[in-house]
Amino acid sequence: MKTKITLVLLLSLFMSGCSEDFLETKSTQNIDESLVFTDTKNAMLAINGLHKLMWTQDLSGTAPRGGFEMLMIWMDMLGEDLVYTYANAQYQSEAKWVTHRNYSGSGHLLHFFSLLYYFVSNANMVMDNIDNAAGADNEKNNIKGQALFYRAFGYFYLVQLWGERYHAGGNNTQPGVVMRSDGDLGPKARSTVEDVYTQVNNDLDEAIRLLAETTVERPNKSHIHVHIARGLKARVLLAQSRWAEAAEMAKLVVEQSGAKLQDDTYITTKDRFSDASNTEWLWGSNKVAEQIATLRSFHEYMSNNFRSYNGNTPRAIYNLLYDKISPTDVRKGVWFPRAADKSSTPRPQYSSYSGARVANYMANKYLLADQSAVFGNVPFMRLPEMMLIEAEGYARAGENVKAAQALYPLAKHRDPQYTLSTSTGEALIDEIMIQRRVELWGEGFRFLDLKRLNMPLDRGPAPRDGYNRNPWPIVTGAGSATFVLENWDPEASNFNMYGDGTVIGEANRYREAGHVEWQFKFHQSVIESNPLCEQNP
């Protein structure tokens, strides 16, 4: 069968390297797929191409578009826990809730929409051809399982971003996204949210069955095995409010994956959030130098000691969330509430170039110990997430004892003074969600958590009358003066309190739950090429 597919993967099968020219190829053409899927060895190269979409360079050449890891940053920029400090060219419009609604001009919007469909179209290509490839059934089942996983992955994030949230107990006939499974690129209407989730669940169920049966070992953590498929299934069930099922699925991963909590995870000077050897990582990137170009890497925007945009705009945590972290919790040490005060200790690490800025509450979670490095690996799924899904699922299902027991190992590991929770109901759910926000900070979950739970975006109160609305001026790391907070309101959030105090704008402190702005717009070129695709309001 011949279908029209993206060259981004096909060319990777035949080129000796992953050059910038290759990665920036956007065109499509008809290709005889029989030349690609001659055997399972070549088919596995197509799967490798799917893995690379998680971190691949931009297809257009303009930063900061890149692989899925860059969309992770965007999804946290839409929330409140990742604070945008000083004005900068990159991600500021995303944090202002502008880019995802700019259907006529945003190349970023089109890029990430296309990226997620690459997962779908290229997984379809694999599924259409793998049965006719030479090779053992065991190898084919492994390839099929991974392809089904990525098709489910693409549709899951497409429907969450471009569709309305899934309404538990409803019929979910609201428009989702266009589904294609047969290579047809003609005009087609959007499927319902329910139909998209049905496809996602069916794909994951089959992926889990196939991957559970195969004996093929994955070569590194960028590849998919049964526990990663179960982990994604747990995410899907959580998004559908199928609480008990989500908890049970996550529990399988916790108990059977072999992943373990690692004592030095939050000793970030050891690259623990950029090194896939961390025993907590279930799934993560596996990058090599020639695959990464400047300003298209996660750590260039999330590692505050990187000589890049972070040198101008340090990443910081929402101070009102930080205040909820126990003083004995090891995680509290990766954020620095008084970073701009030269007399305070300990001091954060920051970029060594002379113009580098520091910001109160800045983060060293994604520190790159080697400042000359151009990238680090990125976690896409970690054991703590599964522990937190198990706890949240049980708590929302009313299983308070099970929820507290599921939360305890992680909370105790991070905070030696933590004791088994005796809370129930909403109090227990709140405790679990605080743990989730702290543990998964910066890993791309906050916007979708707010959306699935139908919660508003609330970036906290502005300073009260009589307090300085801009207490934290721009401070360079190279400066020598001691910095003193000037009439700071201790009850205010640190949103819009850096630099000139209007980085994101007061209008962006709050978005009500369920507003149309929680849906991404379809780029105009998508509507023009498929007039049956109904635009979001």
Side-chain angles (χ1 to χ4, degrees):
M1 177 180 179
K2 296 181 181 179
T3 59
K4 200 172 185 180
I5 55 179
T6 56
L7 288 182
V8 65
L9 298 189
L10 284 179
L11 289 180
S12 71
L13 308 185
F14 303 111
M15 296 186 67
S16 59
C18 296
S19 69
E20 186 168 334
D21 288 340
F22 143 57
L23 286 167
E24 291 180 353
T25 300
K26 295 190 298 178
S27 61
T28 59
Q29 65 182 22
N30 290 317
I31 292 179
D32 187 348
E33 295 174 10
S34 65
L35 299 177
V36 180
F37 292 93
T38 55
D39 53 36
T40 52
K41 181 179 179 180
N42 279 344
M44 194 63 224
L45 292 175
I47 295 295
N48 288 340
L50 281 165
H51 300 322
K52 291 175 185 175
L53 285 176
M54 296 298 293
W55 67 86
T56 187
Q57 296 180 59
D58 190 324
L59 305 178
S60 68
T62 303
R65 305 170 201 163
F68 182 80
E69 64 180 19
M70 305 298 276
L71 182 57
M72 290 164 56
I73 301 174
W74 187 354
M75 289 188 288
D76 268 346
M77 286 292 182
L78 288 165
E80 79 277 41
D81 292 340
L82 178 59
V83 177
Y84 203 101
T85 54
Y86 305 127
N88 198 288
Q90 303 300 341
Y91 283 111
Q92 189 166 338
S93 292
E94 283 82 348
K96 288 181 175 181
W97 281 53
V98 171
T99 307
H100 74 287
R101 302 287 294 176
N102 184 8
Y103 63 91
S104 62
S106 174
H108 294 192
L109 181 64
L110 178 60
H111 169 77
F112 287 110
F113 175 84
S114 301
L115 178 76
L116 292 172
Y117 265 110
Y118 288 162
F119 287 108
V120 173
S121 63
N122 288 289
N124 284 340
M125 174 187 69
V126 175
M127 297 303 297
D128 286 345
N129 291 276
I130 187 59
D131 285 338
N132 295 324
D137 287 343
N138 184 45
E139 295 173 347
K140 291 181 182 181
N141 287 341
N142 177 55
I143 291 167
K144 286 181 184 179
Q146 295 198 66
L148 285 165
F149 169 91
Y150 277 116
R151 185 166 71 185
F153 181 86
Y155 278 138
F156 180 49
Y157 282 93
L158 282 163
V159 76
Q160 287 185 101
L161 296 174
W162 275 268
E164 289 185 30
R165 61 182 288 270
Y166 190 93
H167 302 289
N171 55 21
N172 289 289
T173 58
Q174 64 271 32
V177 293
V178 174
M179 289 199 297
R180 301 184 186 276
S181 59
D182 56 5
D184 176 24
L185 296 181
K188 193 171 184 179
R190 295 166 66 181
S191 297
T192 67
V193 166
E194 186 68 48
D195 286 345
V196 178
Y197 271 90
T198 297
Q199 179 71 53
V200 168
N201 278 299
N202 288 343
D203 281 351
L204 285 175
D205 290 343
E206 181 64 4
I208 290 168
R209 184 188 72 81
L210 291 168
L211 292 171
E213 293 177 356
T214 184
T215 58
V216 176
E217 296 289 334
R218 65 175 182 169
N220 57 65
K221 290 182 181 177
S222 72
H223 287 237
I224 307 304
H225 59 30
V226 65
H227 303 298
I228 312 304
R230 286 172 175 158
L232 183 59
K233 176 78 174 183
R235 287 183 189 176
V236 173
L237 293 169
L238 200 69
Q240 292 183 280
S241 303
R242 294 164 62 178
W243 308 124
E245 293 174 86
E248 292 295 328
M249 186 62 64
K251 184 178 181 181
L252 286 175
V253 181
V254 172
E255 295 180 347
Q256 298 181 17
S257 67
K260 298 178 180 179
L261 295 176
Q262 185 161 307
D263 290 342
D264 65 353
T265 286
Y266 281 87
I267 302 177
T268 54
T269 53
K270 294 185 178 181
D271 282 335
R272 283 301 173 249
F273 277 93
S274 61
D275 182 357
S277 68
N278 191 319
T279 60
E280 297 182 358
W281 288 31
L282 292 159
W283 178 32
S285 61
N286 181 45
K287 301 175 184 176
V288 294
E290 64 268 26
Q291 292 172 332
I292 305 299
T294 303
L295 301 182
R296 299 174 201 175
S297 167
F298 179 90
H299 284 81
E300 290 180 270
Y301 294 91
M302 292 297 290
S303 177
N304 280 332
N305 71 334
F306 201 100
R307 183 170 179 150
S308 179
Y309 279 99
N310 288 4
N312 296 319
T313 309
R315 301 297 177 237
I317 190 173
Y318 180 45
N319 64 323
L320 301 184
L321 173 61
Y322 177 86
D323 290 346
K324 296 178 183 292
I325 306 174
S326 165
T328 55
D329 192 318
V330 67
R331 293 171 296 193
K332 198 151 190 166
V334 301
W335 294 286
F336 298 83
R338 297 182 65 85
D341 186 345
K342 304 300 189 297
S343 65
S344 67
T345 56
R347 299 278 287 137
Q349 292 197 29
Y350 47 84
S351 180
S352 60
Y353 85 97
S354 60
R357 296 170 179 169
V358 295
N360 285 340
Y361 294 95
M362 67 186 291
N364 274 172
K365 177 175 178 177
Y366 296 103
L367 193 72
L368 281 175
D370 179 5
Q371 289 195 35
S372 66
V374 296
F375 62 85
N377 286 320
V378 177
F380 303 134
M381 186 182 293
R382 295 192 299 123
L383 176 64
E385 181 200 352
M386 295 297 109
M387 302 171 87
L388 290 161
I389 290 178
E390 182 184 353
E392 182 186 349
Y394 281 138
R396 294 188 188 278
E399 298 276 2
N400 295 313
V401 174
K402 287 184 177 180
Q405 291 173 338
L407 178 64
Y408 179 78
L410 174 64
K412 180 70 173 179
H413 187 270
R414 301 316 196 211
D415 180 3
Q417 300 303 311
Y418 181 84
T419 57
L420 182 69
S421 180
T422 58
S423 298
T424 60
E426 287 301 317
L428 178 57
I429 291 171
D430 288 346
E431 180 181 348
I432 293 167
M433 294 308 293
I434 292 296
Q435 289 280 345
R436 179 177 173 90
R437 291 167 66 186
V438 173
E439 180 66 36
L440 302 181
W441 181 91
E443 296 181 46
F445 292 96
R446 187 55 181 162
F447 172 75
L448 293 179
D449 279 351
L450 291 171
K451 185 171 181 176
R452 70 178 170 88
L453 295 170
N454 201 31
M455 296 174 62
L457 171 70
D458 187 349
R459 286 169 165 165
R464 293 168 291 177
D465 290 342
Y467 288 95
N468 189 346
R469 300 190 68 83
N470 176 29
W472 303 337
I474 293 175
V475 179
T476 61
S480 59
T482 297
F483 177 72
V484 179
L485 296 177
E486 299 175 349
N487 196 28
W488 171 45
D489 184 351
E491 296 183 12
S493 84
N494 56 332
F495 175 79
N496 275 346
M497 292 175 70
Y498 305 89
D500 65 359
T502 59
V503 179
I504 306 302
E506 290 299 313
N508 294 306
R509 278 193 185 273
Y510 188 86
R511 289 291 190 282
E512 64 178 301
H515 193 274
V516 295
E517 288 183 277
W518 289 88
Q519 293 173 257
F520 281 34
K521 284 272 196 175
F522 292 95
H523 193 273
Q524 187 62 35
S525 63
V526 174
I527 303 298
E528 290 172 355
S529 63
N530 180 12
L532 294 183
C533 179
E534 175 188 351
Q535 179 63 281
N536 281 325

